[in-house]
Short mmCIF file of all heavy atoms in Angstrom, two decimals:
data_model
loop_
_atom_site.label_atom_id
_atom_site.label_comp_id
_atom_site.label_asym_id
_atom_site.label_seq_id
_atom_site.Cartn_x
_atom_site.Cartn_y
_atom_site.Cartn_z
N GLU W 514 -0.82 -6.92 -0.53
CA GLU W 514 -1.52 -7.35 0.66
C GLU W 514 -1.09 -6.50 1.85
O GLU W 514 0.09 -6.16 1.98
CB GLU W 514 -1.23 -8.82 0.95
CG GLU W 514 -1.67 -9.77 -0.16
CD GLU W 514 -1.31 -11.21 0.15
OE1 GLU W 514 -1.81 -11.74 1.16
OE2 GLU W 514 -0.52 -11.79 -0.61
N ASP W 515 -2.02 -6.20 2.70
CA ASP W 515 -1.74 -5.37 3.86
C ASP W 515 -0.72 -6.05 4.76
O ASP W 515 -0.85 -7.23 5.09
CB ASP W 515 -3.02 -5.11 4.64
CG ASP W 515 -2.83 -4.09 5.74
OD1 ASP W 515 -2.41 -2.96 5.43
OD2 ASP W 515 -3.11 -4.41 6.92
N GLY W 516 0.33 -5.31 5.12
CA GLY W 516 1.32 -5.82 6.06
C GLY W 516 2.49 -6.56 5.44
O GLY W 516 3.46 -6.88 6.16
N GLU W 517 2.47 -6.85 4.14
CA GLU W 517 3.59 -7.61 3.57
C GLU W 517 4.79 -6.72 3.33
O GLU W 517 4.67 -5.55 2.98
CB GLU W 517 3.18 -8.33 2.29
CG GLU W 517 2.88 -7.47 1.09
CD GLU W 517 2.53 -8.30 -0.13
OE1 GLU W 517 3.19 -9.33 -0.38
OE2 GLU W 517 1.57 -7.92 -0.83
N TYR W 518 5.98 -7.29 3.54
CA TYR W 518 7.22 -6.57 3.33
C TYR W 518 7.53 -6.51 1.84
O TYR W 518 7.31 -7.49 1.11
CB TYR W 518 8.38 -7.26 4.06
CG TYR W 518 8.24 -7.28 5.55
CD1 TYR W 518 7.90 -8.44 6.23
CD2 TYR W 518 8.45 -6.11 6.30
CE1 TYR W 518 7.77 -8.45 7.62
CE2 TYR W 518 8.33 -6.11 7.68
CZ TYR W 518 7.97 -7.29 8.33
OH TYR W 518 7.84 -7.29 9.69
N ILE W 519 8.01 -5.37 1.38
CA ILE W 519 8.32 -5.24 -0.05
C ILE W 519 9.71 -5.82 -0.33
O ILE W 519 10.62 -5.71 0.48
CB ILE W 519 8.22 -3.78 -0.52
CG1 ILE W 519 9.18 -2.86 0.24
CG2 ILE W 519 6.78 -3.29 -0.38
CD1 ILE W 519 9.23 -1.45 -0.32
N LYS W 520 9.84 -6.46 -1.48
CA LYS W 520 11.07 -7.15 -1.86
C LYS W 520 11.49 -6.75 -3.27
O LYS W 520 10.64 -6.48 -4.13
CB LYS W 520 10.87 -8.67 -1.79
CG LYS W 520 10.52 -9.19 -0.41
CD LYS W 520 10.30 -10.70 -0.44
CE LYS W 520 9.93 -11.25 0.92
NZ LYS W 520 9.69 -12.72 0.87
N ASP W 521 12.79 -6.77 -3.52
CA ASP W 521 13.31 -6.51 -4.85
C ASP W 521 12.74 -7.53 -5.84
O ASP W 521 12.55 -8.70 -5.51
CB ASP W 521 14.84 -6.60 -4.87
CG ASP W 521 15.51 -5.49 -4.09
OD1 ASP W 521 14.81 -4.56 -3.65
OD2 ASP W 521 16.74 -5.57 -3.91
N GLY W 522 12.49 -7.06 -7.05
CA GLY W 522 12.04 -7.96 -8.10
C GLY W 522 10.57 -8.34 -8.02
O GLY W 522 10.12 -9.24 -8.73
N VAL W 523 9.82 -7.66 -7.15
CA VAL W 523 8.40 -7.93 -7.02
C VAL W 523 7.62 -6.64 -7.28
O VAL W 523 7.96 -5.59 -6.74
CB VAL W 523 8.04 -8.47 -5.61
CG1 VAL W 523 6.54 -8.77 -5.52
CG2 VAL W 523 8.86 -9.73 -5.30
N ALA W 524 6.58 -6.75 -8.11
CA ALA W 524 5.69 -5.62 -8.37
C ALA W 524 4.40 -5.82 -7.61
O ALA W 524 3.78 -6.89 -7.68
CB ALA W 524 5.41 -5.50 -9.87
N TYR W 525 3.99 -4.79 -6.87
CA TYR W 525 2.81 -4.85 -6.02
C TYR W 525 1.76 -3.89 -6.58
O TYR W 525 1.99 -2.67 -6.61
CB TYR W 525 3.16 -4.45 -4.59
CG TYR W 525 4.25 -5.28 -3.96
CD1 TYR W 525 5.61 -4.91 -4.12
CD2 TYR W 525 3.97 -6.42 -3.22
CE1 TYR W 525 6.62 -5.67 -3.55
CE2 TYR W 525 4.98 -7.18 -2.65
CZ TYR W 525 6.30 -6.80 -2.82
OH TYR W 525 7.32 -7.55 -2.25
N ILE W 526 0.61 -4.41 -7.01
CA ILE W 526 -0.46 -3.59 -7.55
C ILE W 526 -1.47 -3.31 -6.45
O ILE W 526 -1.99 -4.24 -5.81
CB ILE W 526 -1.13 -4.28 -8.75
CG1 ILE W 526 -0.12 -4.50 -9.88
CG2 ILE W 526 -2.31 -3.43 -9.25
CD1 ILE W 526 -0.70 -5.21 -11.10
N ALA W 527 -1.75 -2.04 -6.21
CA ALA W 527 -2.73 -1.66 -5.19
C ALA W 527 -4.10 -2.27 -5.53
O ALA W 527 -4.57 -2.14 -6.67
CB ALA W 527 -2.84 -0.15 -5.09
N PRO W 528 -4.74 -2.92 -4.57
CA PRO W 528 -6.08 -3.46 -4.84
C PRO W 528 -7.07 -2.34 -5.13
O PRO W 528 -6.98 -1.24 -4.55
CB PRO W 528 -6.45 -4.17 -3.53
CG PRO W 528 -5.17 -4.35 -2.78
CD PRO W 528 -4.29 -3.21 -3.20
N GLY W 529 -8.03 -2.60 -6.00
CA GLY W 529 -9.07 -1.62 -6.25
C GLY W 529 -9.78 -1.24 -4.96
O GLY W 529 -9.99 -2.08 -4.08
N ASN W 530 -10.10 0.04 -4.83
CA ASN W 530 -10.80 0.58 -3.67
C ASN W 530 -9.94 0.64 -2.41
O ASN W 530 -10.46 0.80 -1.30
CB ASN W 530 -12.10 -0.19 -3.38
CG ASN W 530 -13.10 0.64 -2.59
OD1 ASN W 530 -13.20 1.85 -2.79
ND2 ASN W 530 -13.84 0.00 -1.70
N HIS W 531 -8.62 0.50 -2.54
CA HIS W 531 -7.70 0.61 -1.41
C HIS W 531 -6.57 1.57 -1.77
O HIS W 531 -5.97 1.45 -2.85
CB HIS W 531 -7.05 -0.74 -1.07
CG HIS W 531 -7.98 -1.74 -0.48
ND1 HIS W 531 -8.91 -2.41 -1.24
CD2 HIS W 531 -8.12 -2.20 0.79
CE1 HIS W 531 -9.58 -3.26 -0.46
NE2 HIS W 531 -9.12 -3.14 0.77
N HIS W 532 -6.26 2.50 -0.88
CA HIS W 532 -5.04 3.27 -1.00
C HIS W 532 -3.86 2.41 -0.57
O HIS W 532 -3.97 1.59 0.35
CB HIS W 532 -5.08 4.52 -0.12
CG HIS W 532 -6.04 5.57 -0.58
ND1 HIS W 532 -6.00 6.10 -1.85
CD2 HIS W 532 -7.07 6.18 0.07
CE1 HIS W 532 -6.95 7.02 -1.97
NE2 HIS W 532 -7.62 7.08 -0.82
N LEU W 533 -2.73 2.60 -1.23
CA LEU W 533 -1.49 1.88 -0.89
C LEU W 533 -0.46 2.89 -0.40
O LEU W 533 -0.10 3.82 -1.12
CB LEU W 533 -0.96 1.11 -2.10
CG LEU W 533 0.25 0.20 -1.90
CD1 LEU W 533 0.29 -0.87 -2.98
CD2 LEU W 533 1.57 0.97 -1.92
N VAL W 534 0.02 2.69 0.83
CA VAL W 534 1.11 3.49 1.38
C VAL W 534 2.13 2.54 2.00
O VAL W 534 1.88 1.34 2.12
CB VAL W 534 0.59 4.50 2.44
CG1 VAL W 534 -0.40 5.48 1.82
CG2 VAL W 534 -0.04 3.78 3.63
N LEU W 535 3.27 3.09 2.38
CA LEU W 535 4.31 2.29 3.03
C LEU W 535 4.46 2.69 4.49
O LEU W 535 4.22 3.83 4.86
CB LEU W 535 5.65 2.46 2.31
CG LEU W 535 5.82 1.81 0.95
CD1 LEU W 535 7.26 1.96 0.47
CD2 LEU W 535 5.43 0.33 0.96
N LYS W 536 4.89 1.74 5.30
CA LYS W 536 5.21 2.01 6.69
C LYS W 536 6.52 1.33 7.04
O LYS W 536 6.88 0.30 6.45
CB LYS W 536 4.10 1.53 7.61
CG LYS W 536 3.83 0.03 7.55
CD LYS W 536 2.68 -0.37 8.46
CE LYS W 536 2.41 -1.88 8.37
NZ LYS W 536 1.27 -2.29 9.24
N GLN W 537 7.24 1.92 7.98
CA GLN W 537 8.50 1.34 8.46
C GLN W 537 8.20 0.29 9.51
O GLN W 537 7.47 0.54 10.47
CB GLN W 537 9.39 2.42 9.06
CG GLN W 537 10.80 1.97 9.39
CD GLN W 537 11.74 2.08 8.21
OE1 GLN W 537 11.70 3.06 7.48
NE2 GLN W 537 12.60 1.08 8.04
N VAL W 538 8.77 -0.89 9.35
CA VAL W 538 8.66 -1.96 10.35
C VAL W 538 10.07 -2.45 10.62
O VAL W 538 10.65 -3.20 9.84
CB VAL W 538 7.76 -3.11 9.86
CG1 VAL W 538 7.66 -4.19 10.94
CG2 VAL W 538 6.38 -2.61 9.49
N GLY W 539 10.65 -1.98 11.72
CA GLY W 539 12.04 -2.30 11.99
C GLY W 539 12.93 -1.70 10.92
O GLY W 539 12.86 -0.49 10.64
N ASN W 540 13.74 -2.54 10.29
CA ASN W 540 14.62 -2.07 9.22
C ASN W 540 14.04 -2.26 7.83
O ASN W 540 14.71 -2.05 6.82
CB ASN W 540 15.97 -2.80 9.30
CG ASN W 540 16.74 -2.44 10.56
OD1 ASN W 540 16.70 -1.31 11.02
ND2 ASN W 540 17.42 -3.43 11.13
N GLU W 541 12.77 -2.67 7.77
CA GLU W 541 12.15 -2.96 6.48
C GLU W 541 10.95 -2.06 6.24
O GLU W 541 10.44 -1.41 7.15
CB GLU W 541 11.74 -4.44 6.42
CG GLU W 541 12.90 -5.40 6.56
CD GLU W 541 12.47 -6.84 6.33
OE1 GLU W 541 12.21 -7.18 5.15
OE2 GLU W 541 12.41 -7.60 7.29
N LEU W 542 10.49 -2.07 4.99
CA LEU W 542 9.28 -1.34 4.62
C LEU W 542 8.18 -2.34 4.31
O LEU W 542 8.41 -3.36 3.66
CB LEU W 542 9.53 -0.45 3.41
CG LEU W 542 10.55 0.68 3.59
CD1 LEU W 542 10.66 1.49 2.29
CD2 LEU W 542 10.18 1.58 4.75
N ALA W 543 6.98 -2.01 4.78
CA ALA W 543 5.83 -2.89 4.56
C ALA W 543 4.68 -2.09 3.96
O ALA W 543 4.57 -0.87 4.14
CB ALA W 543 5.40 -3.53 5.88
N ILE W 544 3.83 -2.80 3.25
CA ILE W 544 2.65 -2.19 2.63
C ILE W 544 1.54 -2.01 3.66
O ILE W 544 1.30 -2.89 4.49
CB ILE W 544 2.17 -3.06 1.46
CG1 ILE W 544 3.15 -2.96 0.28
CG2 ILE W 544 0.76 -2.68 1.01
CD1 ILE W 544 2.91 -3.94 -0.83
N SER W 545 0.90 -0.87 3.60
CA SER W 545 -0.27 -0.62 4.42
C SER W 545 -1.41 -0.19 3.48
O SER W 545 -1.26 0.76 2.71
CB SER W 545 0.01 0.48 5.45
OG SER W 545 -1.15 0.75 6.22
N LEU W 546 -2.51 -0.91 3.53
CA LEU W 546 -3.69 -0.59 2.72
C LEU W 546 -4.73 0.08 3.59
O LEU W 546 -4.91 -0.28 4.76
CB LEU W 546 -4.27 -1.86 2.10
CG LEU W 546 -3.33 -2.69 1.22
CD1 LEU W 546 -4.04 -3.96 0.75
CD2 LEU W 546 -2.82 -1.89 0.04
N ASN W 547 -5.42 1.08 3.05
CA ASN W 547 -6.44 1.76 3.85
C ASN W 547 -7.61 2.20 2.98
O ASN W 547 -7.52 2.23 1.75
CB ASN W 547 -5.83 2.94 4.62
CG ASN W 547 -5.42 4.08 3.72
OD1 ASN W 547 -6.25 4.80 3.16
ND2 ASN W 547 -4.10 4.28 3.57
N HIS W 548 -8.71 2.54 3.67
CA HIS W 548 -9.93 2.98 2.99
C HIS W 548 -10.23 4.44 3.29
O HIS W 548 -11.40 4.85 3.33
CB HIS W 548 -11.13 2.12 3.44
CG HIS W 548 -11.18 0.77 2.83
ND1 HIS W 548 -10.61 -0.34 3.42
CD2 HIS W 548 -11.71 0.34 1.65
CE1 HIS W 548 -10.81 -1.39 2.65
NE2 HIS W 548 -11.46 -1.01 1.57
N SER W 549 -9.18 5.23 3.50
CA SER W 549 -9.42 6.66 3.70
C SER W 549 -10.08 7.23 2.44
O SER W 549 -10.07 6.61 1.38
CB SER W 549 -8.11 7.39 4.02
OG SER W 549 -7.16 7.21 2.99
N PRO W 550 -10.71 8.41 2.55
CA PRO W 550 -11.50 8.93 1.43
C PRO W 550 -10.72 9.03 0.12
O PRO W 550 -9.50 9.23 0.12
CB PRO W 550 -11.91 10.32 1.92
CG PRO W 550 -11.91 10.21 3.40
CD PRO W 550 -10.77 9.29 3.73
N PRO W 551 -11.40 8.87 -1.00
CA PRO W 551 -10.74 9.03 -2.30
C PRO W 551 -10.09 10.40 -2.43
O PRO W 551 -10.57 11.39 -1.87
CB PRO W 551 -11.90 8.88 -3.31
CG PRO W 551 -12.93 8.08 -2.58
CD PRO W 551 -12.83 8.51 -1.15
N ILE W 552 -8.98 10.45 -3.16
CA ILE W 552 -8.28 11.70 -3.44
C ILE W 552 -8.63 12.11 -4.87
O ILE W 552 -8.30 11.41 -5.82
CB ILE W 552 -6.75 11.54 -3.30
CG1 ILE W 552 -6.37 10.93 -1.95
CG2 ILE W 552 -6.05 12.87 -3.53
CD1 ILE W 552 -6.73 11.78 -0.76
N LYS W 553 -9.33 13.23 -5.00
CA LYS W 553 -9.78 13.69 -6.32
C LYS W 553 -10.51 12.59 -7.07
O LYS W 553 -10.33 12.41 -8.28
CB LYS W 553 -8.60 14.23 -7.13
CG LYS W 553 -7.94 15.46 -6.52
CD LYS W 553 -6.79 15.95 -7.36
CE LYS W 553 -6.12 17.17 -6.74
NZ LYS W 553 -4.94 17.64 -7.51
N GLY W 554 -11.31 11.84 -6.33
CA GLY W 554 -12.12 10.79 -6.93
C GLY W 554 -11.43 9.45 -7.08
O GLY W 554 -12.05 8.50 -7.58
N HIS W 555 -10.18 9.33 -6.63
CA HIS W 555 -9.43 8.10 -6.86
C HIS W 555 -9.09 7.38 -5.54
O HIS W 555 -8.56 7.97 -4.60
CB HIS W 555 -8.12 8.39 -7.60
CG HIS W 555 -8.31 9.02 -8.94
ND1 HIS W 555 -9.01 8.40 -9.95
CD2 HIS W 555 -7.91 10.22 -9.43
CE1 HIS W 555 -9.02 9.19 -11.01
NE2 HIS W 555 -8.37 10.30 -10.72
N ARG W 556 -9.38 6.10 -5.53
CA ARG W 556 -8.92 5.20 -4.47
C ARG W 556 -8.73 3.84 -5.11
O ARG W 556 -9.72 3.18 -5.39
CB ARG W 556 -9.92 5.13 -3.31
CG ARG W 556 -9.41 4.30 -2.13
CD ARG W 556 -10.28 4.42 -0.90
NE ARG W 556 -11.64 3.91 -1.21
CZ ARG W 556 -12.73 4.23 -0.51
NH1 ARG W 556 -12.65 5.06 0.53
NH2 ARG W 556 -13.90 3.72 -0.84
N PRO W 557 -7.50 3.44 -5.41
CA PRO W 557 -6.23 4.00 -4.93
C PRO W 557 -5.84 5.29 -5.64
O PRO W 557 -6.30 5.58 -6.74
CB PRO W 557 -5.22 2.89 -5.27
CG PRO W 557 -5.81 2.20 -6.47
CD PRO W 557 -7.29 2.24 -6.24
N SER W 558 -4.96 6.03 -4.98
CA SER W 558 -4.48 7.32 -5.48
C SER W 558 -2.98 7.27 -5.70
O SER W 558 -2.23 6.86 -4.80
CB SER W 558 -4.83 8.42 -4.47
OG SER W 558 -4.05 9.57 -4.67
N VAL W 559 -2.54 7.71 -6.87
CA VAL W 559 -1.11 7.82 -7.14
C VAL W 559 -0.50 8.89 -6.24
O VAL W 559 0.58 8.71 -5.68
CB VAL W 559 -0.85 8.17 -8.63
CG1 VAL W 559 0.65 8.22 -8.90
CG2 VAL W 559 -1.53 7.16 -9.55
#
C-alpha cells in the first residue's frame, strides 16, 4: 500500500499496474507506488 512503512517479517507484493519504490520518511523507509511509464513493457518493474 502506498505510504506504509516496511517492517521485518512482512512481504509486500507490488500491486499490478503499479511500480513499487521506497522513500525515506524520517528514520524509516516507506513504500511509494506510482504509475510512471512501464519499463521494457513492465509495470511493476523489477
Side-chain angles (χ1 to χ4, degrees):
E514 299 178 61
D515 189 57
E517 68 178 318
Y518 296 106
I519 59 173
K520 299 178 180 179
D521 292 352
V523 181
Y525 304 88
I526 299 179
N530 203 36
H531 291 74
H532 290 305
L533 185 157
V534 298
L535 288 186
K536 61 182 179 181
Q537 189 87 42
V538 181
N540 294 324
E541 299 187 73
L542 296 181
I544 288 170
S545 178
L546 303 177
N547 69 71
H548 284 92
S549 58
I552 307 296
K553 297 180 181 177
H555 300 299
R556 185 170 62 201
S558 161
V559 182

